[in-house]
Amino acid sequence: MGSEKETKRKKFLDELSKKGFIIKKIEDTKLFYGVRAPQQVFWKYQCLLGKPDKKLQSENSPQDIPVTTRIRIVHFILQNTVTPDLEKLNDLMKKKVFEAAFPLHEKEAVREFLKEKWARWRGLFNEQPIEKIRCYFGEKVALYFAWLGWYTYLLGFAALAGVLTFVAGITLFSSSQVSREICEANTTLMCPLCDNKCPYWVLSDTCTYAKVTHMIDNEATVLFAIFMALWATVFLELWKRQRATVVTNWDLYGWDEEEEELAMELINNLQHEPRKYQHSYFRSTIVLLLVLLMITVLIGIAHALVIYRVIARALFAQSSLGLLREQADTVAVMTGAVLHYITIVIMTKINRHVALFLCSLEKPRTFSQRENNFTMKIFTFQFFTNFSSLIYIAFFLGRINGRPGHYVRIAGRWRLEECHPSGCITDLFIQMAIIMLLKQTISNVMEYLIPWISHKLRKKHKHPQKRSIILGEEEEAEDPCKRQWLSNYELNEVNVFSLFNEFLEMIIQYSFTTIFVAAFPLAPLLAFLNNLFEIHLDAIKMVRLHRRMVPRRANDIGIWLQVLEAIGILAVIGNGLVIAITSDFIPMQVYKYMYSPCVAENHTNVDCSTGYINHSLSVFRIRDFEPNMGMPEMLPNFDRNEITECRYRDYRHADDYTYTIQFWHIFAARLAFLIIFEHVALCVKLIAAWYIPDVPQKVKNKLLFRKHADLRKELSMMEYSTEV
């Protein structure tokens, strides 16, 4: 009492009182102020916006204005009330004058229904009560769950296609001619995988690895990649139709966010002047340069992960443990994937602070503009955080490492990784599988456990103190509001970005599910299973563990739709590059139609991929090894004096190590396939987008007849008034 904080608090509450607000005070371990707005505030809102909530209220009954609208208006006025010291609520919260401001979870019928029927694990396969979610949490939260439910529903079809592709690959596990050749190549001596302590090795040692590779990398993968490009388009077009139907039923199809914000500004302060649209090229240039700097840092982190893999592989290959030495490449890939996941967790927090700082530099005019700017920046940062390492593995691993006798080295010592003779796509498969599994297990468990434990601890700490303090305060102890306010205070805090976090998590998952899906056909299945739990995990957090979100009105998912469309285009490009560059699909087709036995002999009983492995390996003379490379150990069944050459994966001449004509044929075929694939896939996307209207005809007709009825009613009233 009498402190500077108390003075500032009184000034703020006095300003609310001048606006007609009723304020109720309850003392406990904290001071609580219950704030209720006067009815005239809501009447003004209805008059200015033409009763936009008429579908949720009875005629001529302002008492029945939806609670979500009341909360939104009161929250806006609280956030924009200015004290004589020119301080707003956020400024006072930063100075610890107030600790928190939140709407209450109330024991109303809608919440009890959501609590019992929706926010429970036993309702895993029940249909979502979108209308009731809207009535309690507002349109923005309801649209999030409508979108997430629709996304999960259509993921079921993508998951089925992915499983069929994977099963088709399993049928080739032992029957593939390429795998059979690798398994039988017990006389093919391969060049060492590291400089010291790495022996020559026989190609047949990687038999199982080769079978797994060709289980992923086959003709069905190409069809699946085209299917997923089409699926991404159909998903978005069908969602646009679903969204149009939903918001039309809510009478929000033509809702104007800017008009509502201006109305609430005027209700709060009749003298308010709208803030003009402004654009500063200088400020935009500074922000752009800082964004590019941040992207450079994220790419640098990806390079650090590459260096880790190179050094770890070299150290594992020199280990005294036989198993670790033999599986050095796989262990380096797996530990690198775990390290990549850890960097994602850490950089997500850093990216958020950087994006908020950049948004503050831009000085956006409205909250929605600030949210859109923040969304684009955080998504860009998260994309590079999540995918930089995957892009390296998919398109650079094994292609910039040089060749035996002339390896590219880091700091002149550690040589870069090279692809396995059976292909690089397995490395990408392992990396994606580990990251997706970790993100969808550890992240989700922590997402649930942290709020749950935090809630339990807050309840445990608050109750004993409360009982000791209210002794002798008989009048306050009987106040029915006290228990409710305390129980809401004990819940976990929410902020304006709480729903944003859920959207971002799903958009990143959508990126994993589409962009590199050609290398990991099981990604849609993992995403589908995850989302079944994610829907109810989010529901439990919102209804049971977190304070009530401030309801926000919306008629779409905002800028996220543009992000999803951009990801759809990136998915076409990414999958085209995976098939053309990472996969062995193109080299194998070139071999079949230009160099295989089928071309020369025209036999139908010969597998056209016969001899492909031998054709894809180049010859290296052992005497041409670099001087600083120690002589590798020789295998027991081979005589060092008789071995003069080893094999490695590339298309080079044996004499001068220049590229062969086959290399240029494959290069041209890769380029041609990439151009054709991307053009065909993009054309299919455009045709699908044209073929499926964004707005269903029944919605257009409903809007048409509604306009017609309104105009007829107005005209009838005009004629009646003229007659009178």
Side-chain angles (χ1 to χ4, degrees):
M1 298 299 293
S3 66
E4 183 184 0
K5 290 183 180 180
E6 174 67 20
T7 306
K8 289 180 178 292
R9 185 157 54 239
K10 188 174 184 304
K11 288 180 180 179
F12 182 80
L13 295 174
D14 287 345
E15 290 298 319
L16 292 180
S17 298
K18 291 176 185 177
K19 296 178 180 180
F21 277 68
I22 301 169
I23 301 172
K24 180 175 181 177
K25 176 180 174 182
I26 293 180
E27 291 190 40
D28 193 76
T29 55
K30 303 278 186 180
L31 274 176
F32 291 91
Y33 294 94
V35 178
R36 183 180 294 273
Q39 284 295 328
Q40 63 184 22
V41 169
F42 307 121
W43 286 334
K44 289 178 183 178
Y45 177 86
Q46 284 190 321
C47 291
L48 287 173
L49 296 177
K51 293 186 178 182
D53 298 310
K54 59 188 175 183
K55 291 180 72 65
L56 290 176
Q57 64 177 7
S58 306
E59 287 294 326
N60 302 319
S61 179
Q63 297 293 334
D64 293 332
I65 296 173
V67 176
T68 52
T69 301
R70 290 172 177 267
I71 293 174
R72 187 168 63 254
I73 295 171
V74 171
H75 177 264
F76 183 89
I77 294 174
L78 284 176
Q79 294 295 324
N80 291 277
T81 295
V82 183
T83 68
D85 299 329
L86 301 179
E87 292 178 318
K88 292 185 177 182
L89 181 59
N90 278 336
D91 302 319
L92 297 175
M93 290 176 69
K94 289 177 182 176
K95 295 178 179 179
K96 307 297 183 183
V97 175
F98 292 103
E99 181 183 335
F102 52 89
L104 297 172
H105 282 295
E106 299 186 59
K107 290 189 176 180
E108 52 190 278
V110 175
R111 188 190 180 221
E112 293 305 311
F113 178 89
L114 294 175
K115 200 171 181 180
E116 294 300 320
K117 303 293 184 183
W118 181 53
R120 282 186 178 274
W121 293 115
R122 67 188 181 196
L124 204 61
F125 299 100
N126 294 349
E127 185 179 358
Q128 294 190 88
I130 298 298
E131 192 60 35
K132 291 189 182 297
I133 297 171
R134 180 224 176 182
C135 290
Y136 192 76
F137 288 109
E139 288 81 4
K140 197 172 184 71
V141 172
L143 277 172
Y144 164 72
F145 282 104
W147 173 82
L148 181 54
W150 188 251
Y151 168 47
T152 305
Y153 171 71
L154 289 183
L155 258 181
F157 298 98
L160 180 61
V163 170
L164 291 176
T165 302
F166 193 72
V167 169
I170 291 175
T171 61
L172 300 174
F173 189 78
S174 298
S175 60
S176 168
Q177 174 63 28
V178 175
S179 301
R180 194 180 303 121
E181 286 188 7
I182 291 177
C183 294
E184 294 173 356
N186 51 13
T187 59
T188 303
L189 194 68
M190 303 297 295
C191 295
L193 296 174
C194 67
D195 292 340
N196 299 304
K197 293 190 178 179
C198 284
Y200 295 99
W201 53 284
V202 178
L203 184 58
S204 59
D205 292 344
T206 60
C207 176
T208 304
Y209 197 95
K211 289 180 179 180
V212 172
T213 299
H214 293 99
M215 181 177 69
I216 307 164
D217 188 3
N218 54 70
E219 289 79 358
T221 305
V222 181
L223 298 176
F224 180 60
I226 295 173
F227 168 82
M228 286 303 295
L230 179 61
W231 175 87
T233 302
V234 171
F235 158 64
L236 286 180
E237 295 304 316
L238 291 180
W239 162 247
K240 291 175 186 176
R241 292 170 61 85
Q242 179 77 359
R243 165 255 166 196
T245 303
V246 170
V247 298
T248 302
N249 292 335
W250 294 346
D251 200 15
L252 287 175
Y253 190 81
W255 171 75
D256 187 343
E257 183 177 10
E258 186 174 63
E259 183 183 11
E260 176 167 301
E261 186 165 328
L262 287 173
M264 289 198 289
E265 289 280 12
L266 289 171
I267 292 170
N268 179 51
N269 179 13
L270 190 59
Q271 308 304 319
H272 171 265
E273 291 294 329
R275 186 176 173 185
K276 294 180 181 179
Y277 287 97
Q278 294 179 334
H279 179 74
S280 169
Y281 286 102
F282 174 75
R283 189 179 291 120
S284 298
T285 303
I286 296 298
V287 170
L288 178 61
L289 292 174
L290 291 175
V291 168
L292 293 176
L293 177 63
M294 186 63 184
I295 291 173
T296 304
V297 171
L298 295 173
I299 294 174
I301 292 172
H303 286 170
L305 291 172
V306 171
I307 293 171
Y308 164 78
R309 283 163 54 103
V310 169
I311 296 175
R313 187 171 173 274
L315 295 176
F316 292 154
Q318 298 175 22
S319 172
S320 57
L321 298 174
L323 180 63
L324 185 60
R325 188 170 59 249
E326 293 171 5
Q327 302 297 329
D329 190 39
T330 305
V331 174
V333 170
M334 295 179 71
T335 55
V338 173
L339 191 60
H340 184 196
Y341 170 75
I342 294 171
T343 61
I344 289 173
V345 173
I346 296 172
M347 290 307 300
T348 297
K349 299 183 184 299
I350 297 174
N351 291 342
R352 182 179 303 279
H353 290 294
V354 173
L356 284 171
F357 170 73
L358 294 176
C359 285
S360 64
L361 289 181
E362 289 180 309
K363 297 182 178 179
R365 197 180 69 87
T366 62
F367 176 79
S368 59
Q369 185 182 352
R370 177 185 176 85
E371 190 176 42
N372 289 342
N373 293 350
F374 178 76
T375 298
M376 292 306 299
K377 290 174 180 59
I378 193 69
F379 173 75
T380 303
F381 296 158
Q382 287 297 94
F383 180 84
F384 280 96
T385 301
N386 283 271
F387 290 98
S388 292
S389 182
L390 293 174
I391 290 171
Y392 166 76
I393 293 172
F395 310 132
F396 297 99
L397 177 64
R399 291 167 182 83
I400 56 173
N401 62 307
R403 57 168 178 82
H406 194 269
Y407 285 114
V408 176
R409 298 178 182 274
I410 295 175
R413 181 178 178 184
W414 294 289
R415 74 191 217 195
L416 289 180
E417 303 166 274
E418 55 188 281
C419 275
H420 193 275
S422 57
C424 283
I425 202 166
T426 305
D427 291 341
L428 186 58
F429 176 88
I430 293 172
Q431 188 90 354
M432 284 195 64
I434 290 176
I435 292 173
M436 284 199 73
L437 285 171
L438 288 176
K439 281 179 71 68
Q440 296 184 6
T441 52
I442 296 176
S443 296
N444 277 354
V445 168
M446 298 305 291
E447 186 181 344
Y448 177 74
L449 282 182
I450 290 176
W452 184 79
I453 294 171
S454 175
H455 175 49
K456 294 297 182 185
L457 290 175
R458 285 170 72 91
K459 286 182 68 174
K460 184 178 179 181
H461 290 158
K462 300 300 174 188
H463 284 308
Q465 292 179 351
K466 182 186 74 172
R467 293 192 189 96
S468 63
I469 286 190
I470 66 173
L471 290 175
E473 297 179 4
E474 184 178 346
E475 188 175 334
E476 280 196 16
E478 294 175 357
D479 192 321
C481 294
K482 187 169 187 177
R483 184 178 296 274
Q484 183 194 13
W485 293 7
L486 284 170
S487 63
N488 276 265
Y489 173 68
E490 289 160 2
L491 295 172
N492 293 287
E493 185 179 355
V494 295
N495 54 54
V496 291
F497 294 117
S498 293
L499 186 64
F500 171 88
N501 296 336
E502 308 300 340
F503 256 121
L504 180 63
E505 180 186 354
M506 288 296 101
I507 297 299
I508 294 296
Q509 183 210 78
Y510 179 79
S511 304
F512 274 103
T513 306
T514 53
I515 292 179
F516 289 121
V517 72
F520 189 42
L522 294 179
L525 177 63
L526 292 180
F528 175 74
L529 296 175
N530 173 78
N531 287 5
L532 291 178
F533 291 94
E534 181 71 28
I535 291 172
H536 293 276
L537 173 61
D538 291 344
I540 290 170
K541 286 194 305 180
M542 289 185 188
V543 177
R544 295 173 176 274
L545 300 177
H546 284 171
R547 294 171 187 164
R548 189 173 185 175
M549 283 188 183
V550 175
R552 290 186 59 196
R553 176 160 285 165
N555 60 2
D556 57 30
I557 60 174
I559 201 170
W560 290 116
L561 186 63
Q562 299 174 35
V563 173
L564 289 169
E565 289 175 340
I567 293 171
I569 296 172
L570 288 174
V572 172
I573 298 171
N575 286 305
L577 287 169
V578 167
I579 295 169
I581 297 176
T582 315
S583 167
D584 268 0
F585 175 76
I586 298 301
M588 202 172 295
Q589 300 309 310
V590 171
Y591 176 78
K592 284 182 180 179
Y593 293 104
M594 294 189 69
Y595 301 102
S596 73
C598 297
V599 176
E601 302 175 13
N602 199 23
H603 288 318
T604 57
N605 58 345
V606 177
D607 191 314
C608 292
S609 57
T610 303
Y612 169 73
I613 289 298
N614 185 62
H615 182 266
S616 65
L617 297 176
S618 297
V619 176
F620 177 75
R621 297 188 299 270
I622 290 177
R623 68 172 183 269
D624 293 334
F625 268 129
E626 294 156 295
N628 60 345
M629 181 172 175
M631 285 303 295
E633 299 176 15
M634 190 57 64
L635 294 173
N637 298 330
F638 292 86
D639 186 358
R640 179 182 295 275
N641 297 324
E642 294 179 2
I643 301 301
T644 58
E645 59 189 34
C646 60
R647 309 294 294 272
Y648 63 101
R649 181 186 171 87
D650 210 340
Y651 294 91
R652 293 179 182 272
H653 290 291
D655 49 0
D656 57 0
Y657 304 118
T658 56
Y659 287 119
T660 63
I661 190 64
Q662 291 96 322
F663 172 86
W664 299 110
H665 285 164
I666 292 171
F667 180 82
R670 289 185 197 274
L671 188 60
F673 172 84
L674 183 62
I675 295 171
I676 293 171
F677 176 87
E678 292 188 359
H679 280 71
V680 168
L682 289 174
C683 285
V684 169
K685 282 173 65 66
L686 291 173
I687 292 171
W690 165 80
Y691 186 76
I692 304 172
D694 290 355
V695 183
Q697 299 303 311
K698 65 178 183 180
V699 171
K700 290 182 178 179
N701 290 329
K702 188 174 182 178
L703 294 171
L704 175 67
F705 283 106
R706 184 182 296 169
K707 290 176 184 177
H708 182 267
D710 290 343
L711 291 172
R712 174 180 284 178
K713 185 177 179 180
E714 287 183 21
L715 189 59
S716 300
M717 292 178 67
M718 288 173 60
E719 291 177 352
Y720 175 75
S721 62
T722 304
E723 291 173 1
V724 173

